Amino acid sequence: AQKVTQAQTEISVVEKEDVTLDCVYETRDTTYYLFWYKQPPSGELVFLIRRNSFDEQNEISGRYSWNFQKSTSSFNFTITASQVVDSAVYFCALSEALDSGNTPLVFGKGTRLSVIA
Amino acid sequence: DAGVIQSPRHEVTEMGQEVTLRCKPISGHNSLFWYRQTMMRGLELLIYFNNNVPIDDSGMPEDRFSAKMPNASFSTLKIQPSEPRDSAVYFCASSPEEVPQYFGPGTRLTVT
């Protein structure tokens, strides 16, 4: 069975601080995808990144970066120089990778990030 | 491009009433997912379709829940009869192959 654990329920930082959101996953699948989604106070779910299990390269997008380590089954997310607009709930998710058709996401419980001005 | 469209955005109903939630996926997306978000259980899958065919409905909590996808551009999630514990935000998401799921704005359901 697949499982995603986000041990940090809530994090509060002061603006301009760096913050890392942890994600640990469990799966028996040999190929899978990992995701991060952002849910701002308005409630929608915004896709941030997808990573294939074969691709362990770290990725950077502006102030966002992701560290995928298969050896520790972790897919951590770092926000550099946090801003108030980063305040949201962040979800890590996992799905099986099939040759055809998409499969459902298994979500972690989310980490609520509050960035204080 | 219009994103995933869900209606209504908010629904308040009394226990025992029938509720129908609607979803229009992004054009060209062949997979459609219904998720439910609650404080207690987080985000959980209810059912999903590939090419309009239900693939896995094991997340549908009870026989009171049913979902249909009569064509590639429309899906419904029906609860009959509704109960207070069904109160949640219901998300619809769609995706083509090899691309992540894109979520609709959600329907906030309150059953009194």
Side-chain angles (χ1 to χ4, degrees):
Chain A
Q2 298 176 324
K3 184 179 179 181
V4 176
T5 302
Q6 295 180 254
Q8 304 150 308
T9 306
E10 293 190 32
I11 299 176
S12 184
V13 299
V14 176
E15 202 171 22
K16 297 183 182 177
E17 287 185 350
D18 299 346
V19 58
T20 295
L21 309 182
D22 298 332
C23 173
V24 174
Y25 63 92
E26 297 175 30
T27 181
R28 293 181 180 177
D29 299 323
T30 53
T31 57
Y32 50 89
Y33 291 113
L34 294 164
F35 304 80
W36 277 94
Y37 282 83
K38 175 182 179 179
Q39 188 173 42
S42 52
E44 71 270 26
L45 283 159
V46 179
F47 165 76
L48 295 178
I49 188 171
R50 181 187 76 161
R51 178 58 84 216
N52 187 302
S53 57
F54 290 122
D55 182 2
E56 288 193 68
Q57 280 190 337
N58 293 332
E59 179 151 344
I60 298 175
S61 176
R63 296 184 297 106
Y64 295 171
S65 62
W66 292 269
N67 184 317
F68 175 30
Q69 293 199 353
K70 215 167 179 178
S71 61
T72 56
S73 297
S74 66
F75 186 44
N76 297 337
F77 173 29
T78 297
I79 302 174
T80 303
S82 60
Q83 299 177 1
V84 172
V85 294
D86 296 327
S87 297
V89 180
Y90 291 86
F91 292 95
C92 182
L94 168 71
S95 74
E96 181 184 3
L98 297 178
D99 288 338
S100 62
N102 278 288
T103 57
L105 297 171
V106 174
F107 285 91
K109 295 295 187 187
T111 297
R112 181 178 299 277
L113 173 66
S114 297
V115 181
I116 303 166
Chain B
D1 266 349
V4 176
I5 298 172
Q6 291 187 248
S7 64
R9 294 292 308 277
H10 302 272
E11 176 81 32
V12 179
T13 190
E14 292 184 348
M15 183 174 63
Q17 296 299 306
E18 177 180 299
V19 175
T20 299
L21 310 182
R22 297 172 176 80
C23 176
K24 177 177 170 56
I26 295 172
S27 178
H29 286 195
N30 65 332
S31 297
L32 184 140
F33 304 80
W34 283 100
Y35 294 89
R36 180 171 68 175
Q37 184 177 31
T38 61
M39 289 295 293
M40 291 296 295
R41 300 176 64 89
L43 277 157
E44 53 183 352
L45 176 77
L46 297 177
I47 185 172
Y48 79 103
F49 299 82
N50 280 340
N51 298 311
N52 310 339
V53 176
I55 303 299
D56 182 357
D57 66 353
S58 60
M60 298 285 262
E62 299 170 30
D63 290 345
R64 299 183 295 105
F65 285 69
S66 62
K68 294 181 179 179
M69 191 165 187
N71 57 61
S73 59
F74 184 66
S75 177
T76 59
L77 178 67
K78 185 177 294 186
I79 308 172
Q80 166 63 21
S82 57
E83 296 183 2
R85 58 185 166 143
D86 301 331
S87 297
V89 179
Y90 291 81
F91 286 101
C92 175
S94 72
S95 63
E97 295 196 24
E98 295 300 316
V99 178
Q101 295 175 26
Y102 293 95
F103 284 76
T107 295
R108 182 174 296 277
L109 174 64
T110 303
V111 183
T112 61

